[in-house]
Amino acid sequence: NEEVEEPSKKIFEKDTITLNIPEPKKASLKPYKYKLNIIYEDEDLLVIDKLAGISMHPGAGNYDNTIVNALMNLENKNFSNIGDELRPGIVHRIDKDTSGLIVVAKNDKSHHGLAEQFERHSVERVYHAFCFGIPDLASPRLKGIKGVSFEPGNVIKISTHLARHKHDRQRQSVLFEGGKHAVTRFKVLEKYGNPQAISKIECWLETGRTHQIRAHMAHLGHSLIGDETYGKRKKISNKAFTEEGFSLIKKFERQALHASLLGFIHPITKKPMKFSVEMPLDLKNLAKGLKT
């Protein structure tokens, strides 16, 4: 009957356990003073080059310091409000620790027009990433992985289904029945190390599911550098990189993934729009360090 708060205390028959559950904190649209890197803006939409480390919208564990809250700090606070009232303007998302391009709708008509394009998978999205190992088209191991096929131009196609993991809601499971259809294509741009042990890849999304590239590359056995959720670090020869290179790989604090290109049809003017941005400094430094 003694009151204890030690988590290591053993539980015995007839013990009474009391749970104190705090009231859930409500998310808000409180303005967040954060400088957004807006690379294009008109009356209907804006395109942002998002830095890694900021979430798209309020949610569990982060209620105020998000892209949505930063949008509320702009002079023009009029954004579409379709669906979730805590996600004004948000047509699509990229992960908190992924950098790169996103488009935001300023009105409902723009939101509908953009959402239809994402639903049809007609939006052009190109990502650059750094993964463990060298995906080799001639590899018998790669050819034997379910869902993998090969296309002209040294392109590897991954076609699976994705769904929330049964026991870990923070990650996606690769499936072949149930879930949502997911297709990723990629090719190797550069190889690093002596012997070669890291690849820079370019990915195209046919679909845009949660964690799609991260889950698909892990399915191949080539998880992304810095991805603690899906990453399984491969053994790398101690001769492959300099001490600086190994340090950069070990200490890289986010998934090495960047949304570098975004193309769509303007939902109002119907003109083709295409935007591209360079990799941020952390990825540039990673690539530089891997070459030395």
Side-chain angles (χ1 to χ4, degrees):
N1 293 325
E2 62 178 323
E3 292 187 9
V4 292
E5 297 181 359
E6 292 294 329
S8 60
K9 181 187 181 299
K10 292 183 178 180
I11 305 299
F12 297 98
E13 187 178 354
K14 296 184 179 180
D15 277 356
T16 299
I17 300 173
T18 303
L19 297 178
N20 295 314
I21 303 175
E23 289 293 324
K25 185 176 179 181
K26 291 184 178 181
S28 73
L29 293 182
K30 176 183 175 183
Y32 173 36
K33 192 174 182 180
Y34 177 90
K35 184 173 177 56
L36 294 167
N37 184 12
I38 299 172
I39 65 171
Y40 176 82
E41 183 174 11
D42 62 26
E43 293 180 353
D44 304 296
L45 57 85
L46 54 84
V47 177
I48 298 170
D49 182 8
K50 185 184 90 69
L51 296 177
I54 181 169
S55 298
M56 290 292 298
H57 52 75
N62 188 3
Y63 300 95
D64 302 313
N65 302 335
T66 73
I67 291 292
V68 163
N69 297 103
L71 291 172
M72 296 300 100
N73 198 52
L74 299 177
E75 290 184 9
N76 181 1
K77 299 178 183 178
N78 296 320
F79 294 94
S80 68
N81 198 18
I82 295 174
D84 192 331
E85 63 179 6
L86 292 176
R87 303 180 188 181
I90 301 302
V91 183
H92 68 122
R93 296 175 290 173
I94 58 178
D95 297 336
K96 175 182 177 181
D97 289 326
T98 296
S99 56
L101 293 167
I102 56 172
V103 59
V104 176
K106 284 189 171 183
N107 52 62
D108 289 358
K109 189 173 181 180
S110 292
H111 194 126
H112 279 300
L114 289 167
E116 287 175 1
Q117 294 178 61
F118 278 98
E119 188 174 348
R120 294 196 309 266
H121 310 308
S122 63
V123 177
E124 184 179 4
R125 283 170 288 178
V126 178
Y127 289 72
H128 288 99
F130 293 81
C131 70
F132 289 100
I134 311 296
D136 184 357
L137 277 71
S139 167
R141 184 194 67 82
L142 207 60
K143 291 179 179 178
I145 296 175
K146 189 174 182 180
V148 175
S149 59
F150 305 95
E151 297 182 342
N154 296 323
V155 173
I156 299 173
K157 178 182 177 182
I158 312 166
S159 182
T160 73
H161 289 200
L162 291 176
R164 289 283 184 188
H165 192 281
K166 289 183 178 180
H167 307 296
D168 184 353
R169 305 296 292 174
Q170 301 303 311
R171 58 183 291 143
Q172 296 286 312
S173 292
V174 171
L175 307 171
F176 293 92
E177 292 183 5
K180 294 181 179 180
H181 184 53
V183 179
T184 304
R185 290 177 174 85
F186 77 94
K187 65 179 179 181
V188 175
L189 296 182
E190 291 189 64
K191 304 172 184 178
Y192 304 93
N194 186 19
Q196 295 172 337
I198 298 291
S199 298
K200 178 184 178 182
I201 60 174
E202 183 174 87
C203 306
W204 304 270
L205 293 185
E206 181 175 315
T207 59
R209 310 305 183 193
T210 301
H211 298 180
Q212 180 173 313
I213 293 173
R214 298 164 62 190
H216 271 171
M217 294 308 297
H219 174 63
L220 260 61
H222 294 285
S223 57
L224 302 189
I225 289 177
D227 193 339
E228 295 297 327
T229 301
Y230 297 93
K232 290 184 178 180
R233 294 186 180 183
K234 288 180 172 288
K235 289 185 178 181
I236 299 176
S237 169
N238 56 14
K239 298 179 181 179
F241 299 104
T242 63
E243 185 176 336
E244 178 190 1
F246 276 113
S247 178
L248 282 169
I249 295 169
K250 184 177 181 179
K251 294 181 180 180
F252 204 78
E253 295 183 342
R254 68 175 181 100
Q255 60 264 12
L257 180 62
H258 176 66
S260 55
L261 185 147
L262 181 65
F264 53 87
I265 302 299
H266 194 289
I268 307 301
T269 68
K270 305 306 179 184
K271 292 182 179 179
M273 312 285 286
K274 186 177 289 190
F275 305 92
S276 61
V277 289
E278 293 183 348
M279 292 191 303
L281 187 60
D282 62 346
L283 289 177
K284 286 182 178 180
N285 288 339
L286 177 64
K288 182 179 178 181
L290 295 175
K291 289 179 179 179
T292 57

